[in-house]
Amino acid sequence: MNYLRKAWQRLTGAGAADQDKTGLEKKYAHFQKLLQANNQVLALMADMGEKLSGDYLFDFEYIRATMQKLFQETEALTHALIGLGGERYQDLVDACHRIKEDIETVLGSRREIPQAPPVLFFDALDASKVDLVGGKNANLGEMRTHTQIPVPNGFAITSYAYKIFLDYNNLTQQITDKIGSWRMDDLDSLGRVSEELKEIIRAAQMPPELKTAMQEAYDRLAASEKQLPFLAVRSSAIGEDLSFTFAGQYATYLNVPATELAASYKKIVASLFTARALYYYKNKGFKEEEMAMGVVVMPMISAQASGVLFSRHPEDNQGNTALINAVWGLGKYAVAGTIEPDQYIVSRQPLGQVVEQQIPVKRVMLRSQKHGGVAELPVPEDMQTRPCLQQHQITELMGYALRLENHFQKPQDIEWALDDQDRIWILQTRPLKISTRKSTAPRSRPPQGHPILLDKGTVAFRGVGAGPVVLVRRDEDLIDFPAGGVLVSRQPSPSYVTVMHLTAAIVTDVGSITGHMALLAREFKVPTILNTGIATQVLTPGQEITVDADFGNVYQGIVPELLREKIADADELAETPVFKTLKAVLQKITPLHLLDPKADTFAPAYCRTIHDIVRYAHEYGMREMFKLREHGVSGEALLLVSELPFKVNMVDLGGGLHTKVKGKATPDQILSVPFKAFWEGVSAMRWPQGKPDNVKSISSVFVKTEEQVAQGENPYRDESYVLISENYMNFSIHLGYHFSNVEAYVSDQVNDNYLTFHFHGGGSTPERRERRVRLIEAIIDRIDLRYQRTGDVIEAKLSKYPAPEMLNRLTVMGKLTTYTKQLDMVLFSEGIVDWYIKEFLREHVDAKT
């Protein structure tokens, strides 16, 4: 910069070092700010675009924080343009504000809790009332009002009651602030925030109108039951049991006396803010205001047996069978994986025929107590090996399952209970997530050199994962869970959801594929084997293993031939609220509508996105930088005249050109050391040539044919600009939709030498843009540039190399610039990319070394 300051002083006749900056210095300072802001905006846009790939974990806080940075950089960009050209560009500021308001409207959209009575009975509900009462309540109401399936009577405490509760205690802002204060990658902070939020709920008071409504509803329920029933009080959060399972994330209280209904309600509200529930909400991309809780209240069924029914077996790709799990007593032990349940694989047609069954020993059960609450009791010895269900009960359950599947038009995950009078009740139904993966073909032989450690268990989700064993005995063991670890535990737990994005696989001693954690493992696509019996005895912490959940084996060591890329369900990801919001926001950011700088529509009034703002500001920023005479600056913008269809405007800051050059300059009049080397590379390539299918060398491939150019087509309608001095160049290059900037300083002082490169591609399909960037990456990596890539934006740098080596790399960069112009037209496969990389390196890099 000292060198440039002296050059500017020579160019403008400025004197002492402490005098105010010259006009050119001021313009150049604004110009540098414009370029910096331009590059920052493009990098942020690329980063947001990458998040839509499905390979990254992000939440609403990421969107808000990134948008704040984007607004700041866009504002800096527009102010820099005004600094260059004056108030004539105020319209661009207005356009920027208009687009910002559009984006803030998308970000500020809220899902309002609809007004409703605090309590609604099931008979007044159906599936359309989900926003009023939550998914579980809505499905219970739908079954009770529109099917003849036995569902207990009961009532819903509505989501509007939740709003009443928060408003009465002035909690809404406190909750929003607390949730916004932690990051998804900080489990320590998550635990602290969770405890603080639960304490806030515990300390809150019940609104009198809500207590009254609950009591009146209970009295009505008791009258219909002709007794004073104990209650099952369960969560029914907004979104629960609909698109997302929320399996096991919230509290359930069983056999609750009426006097404890209000206290149980508060505990369920508090369960919204357990660490695992908060993590699940953020992972699935819900906003804070969408964390509204409805509550199910129904008479407690005194169950002799309970369980779960999947109307389609998750591992049956033909869809011919269903799966029923059953335990003695209450079903909590079935879904929590506390004991191994009976398992029945049942034919759908003929209805209820048992294809296969497993009846393990069931030594304990959960039963309701006479004065409230539940307790674990021993199973009588004569019942321990007896099936929980008889054939006619299995057939009856299957009849209900097929009717529900037909009614809801999708496979169902159903909870059921068999009461002491041998009546079956349906307690819950929700959509069942079925993997779309095909069955794995049998292997010809097992992996060699890797002993099988475990070969028994039940597969909950297929796939292969490998890594070190992480033994989890309690929730605290999850805090520092390493990425790529294999989670091994005695029994499943829904709390494992907080590390499922890090987990290579899960293996447990006990558990059922109809349990809560198994549902979450399928949702998060984690290879999982349950019910191995001895995993925690055989596997040791830190031991490297490979979990083959396709065939139910665990191998010693890492087995590379079994590993394959984890399957991502893009359709499922696209349904999350955070994904939908980011996609909507990017529609206001990334599309480019200002394409032709010569068109009348290339104006602020026609800017519809941030990308349009950036395109306009960069184009006119370049123009303003080179309108020196209009600003009274004693320097001259020159046109570089060559045989190439490439318009380049130049400003000589001192020593970059022969002193007698006026108006126009030719390449032989260039004295700038770095620019001369760069232009040597640009002009060394053949412009333009041939057709891609007649390629003989990499340098023969270009966009337009000579015939097209002769007919007046201008393949390079955008102007490029370069500032030069004897040892310095700053070259902003526009070629079609591609933008790159190369800045370099080269002298005999090695410590002062540097080269920076910025590239931003555009146009074509995402696949071809990806191939083009991969080609550039490979080449700049080979010539030792350190780089960082985000989407199709590349930032690279090289410094402190001797002058000859710097100049050699500048020449290569010039060649690279020439043919990357729309090179993706011929990058139709990964193989052709590899060929181009090899050819370029052979002709222009390796041949020079």
Side-chain angles (χ1 to χ4, degrees), residues 434-509:
I434 298 289
S435 172
T436 58
R437 295 186 56 174
K438 297 181 180 179
S439 296
T440 305
R443 292 201 184 97
S444 58
R445 59 184 177 84
Q448 299 298 305
H450 296 278
I452 295 178
L453 303 176
L454 297 169
D455 60 2
K456 174 183 177 293
T458 305
V459 172
F461 185 74
R462 293 187 180 275
V464 179
V469 169
V470 181
L471 196 59
V472 176
R473 293 187 175 89
R474 55 191 185 278
D475 286 352
E476 288 77 8
D477 296 333
L478 300 172
I479 293 176
D480 296 315
F481 195 95
V486 176
L487 193 158
V488 178
S489 70
R490 170 65 186 155
Q491 68 183 58
S493 169
S495 63
Y496 299 165
V497 70
T498 59
V499 297
M500 282 187 178
H501 68 289
L502 300 171
T503 306
I506 298 174
V507 184
T508 68
D509 289 350

Side-chain angles (χ1 to χ4, degrees), residues 246-279:
F246 291 87
Q249 299 309 304
Y250 305 126
T252 290
Y253 294 94
L254 302 176
N255 210 35
V256 176
T259 54
E260 296 180 16
L261 176 57
S264 297
Y265 174 79
K266 281 179 60 177
K267 291 177 184 177
I268 289 177
V269 171
S271 75
L272 266 175
F273 307 111
T274 63
R276 65 176 186 263
L278 286 172
Y279 184 88

Side-chain angles (χ1 to χ4, degrees), residues 32-79:
Q32 285 289 79
K33 289 179 182 178
L34 185 144
L35 289 180
Q36 290 169 5
N38 176 85
N39 294 344
Q40 285 296 315
V41 171
L42 293 177
L44 290 167
M45 287 167 53
D47 186 72
M48 296 179 79
E50 273 196 317
K51 295 298 184 289
L52 292 185
S53 68
D55 296 330
Y56 299 90
L57 197 63
F58 67 96
D59 58 11
F60 276 103
E61 194 57 37
Y62 162 80
I63 299 178
R64 296 184 186 109
T66 305
M67 286 311 308
Q68 184 177 3
K69 294 177 187 174
L70 195 66
F71 291 148
Q72 289 172 350
E73 296 297 340
T74 306
E75 184 177 349
L77 184 77
T78 55
H79 288 170

Side-chain angles (χ1 to χ4, degrees), residues 109-295:
S109 61
R110 298 177 63 89
R111 182 176 184 173
E112 298 292 338
I113 297 175
Q115 188 168 357
V119 170
L120 289 171
F121 270 76
F122 290 166
D123 291 338
L125 302 178
D126 56 33
S128 68
K129 303 295 194 303
V130 63
D131 285 347
L132 294 179
V133 294
K136 193 178 279 115
N137 272 319
N139 287 343
L140 286 166
E142 179 73 18
M143 287 190 290
R144 191 165 169 86
T145 56
H146 294 294
T147 74
Q148 300 301 312
I149 289 172
V151 175
N153 192 13
F155 59 87
I157 302 175
T158 64
S159 58
Y160 193 73
Y162 172 77
K163 184 177 186 302
I164 293 172
F165 177 79
L166 296 189
D167 290 349
Y168 184 80
N169 292 279
N170 297 313
L171 298 182
T172 302
Q173 193 59 50
Q174 289 186 62
I175 291 171
T176 299
D177 292 343
K178 290 286 185 186
I179 293 175
S181 68
W182 68 275
R183 305 187 315 273
M184 291 185 68
D185 59 352
D186 184 359
L187 292 185
D188 286 328
S189 175
L190 170 59
R192 174 183 55 77
V193 169
S194 170
E195 288 304 317
E196 290 173 355
L197 285 168
K198 288 188 292 183
E199 182 55 38
I200 288 172
I201 300 300
R202 286 192 288 262
Q205 301 297 312
M206 281 292 291
E209 65 175 298
L210 188 50
K211 290 180 68 174
T212 300
M214 289 182 186
Q215 185 61 50
E216 291 175 351
Y218 174 80
D219 292 342
R220 175 180 162 186
L221 180 64
S224 68
E225 296 289 310
K226 299 179 181 178
Q227 60 177 328
L228 298 177
F230 286 87
L231 303 170
V233 186
R234 309 181 67 187
S235 66
S236 182
I238 302 302
E240 185 178 5
D241 290 349
L242 295 172
S243 299
F244 304 95
T245 64
F246 291 87
Q249 299 309 304
Y250 305 126
T252 290
Y253 294 94
L254 302 176
N255 210 35
V256 176
T259 54
E260 296 180 16
L261 176 57
S264 297
Y265 174 79
K266 281 179 60 177
K267 291 177 184 177
I268 289 177
V269 171
S271 75
L272 266 175
F273 307 111
T274 63
R276 65 176 186 263
L278 286 172
Y279 184 88
Y280 188 94
Y281 245 94
K282 278 218 172 188
N283 180 271
K284 296 303 178 185
F286 289 88
K287 296 180 181 179
E288 290 84 351
E289 67 269 14
E290 293 174 310
M291 297 181 71
M293 179 63 82
V295 172

Side-chain angles (χ1 to χ4, degrees), residues 542-553:
Q543 178 185 15
E544 288 193 329
I545 62 172
T546 297
V547 179
D548 179 4
D550 284 329
F551 291 91
N553 295 325

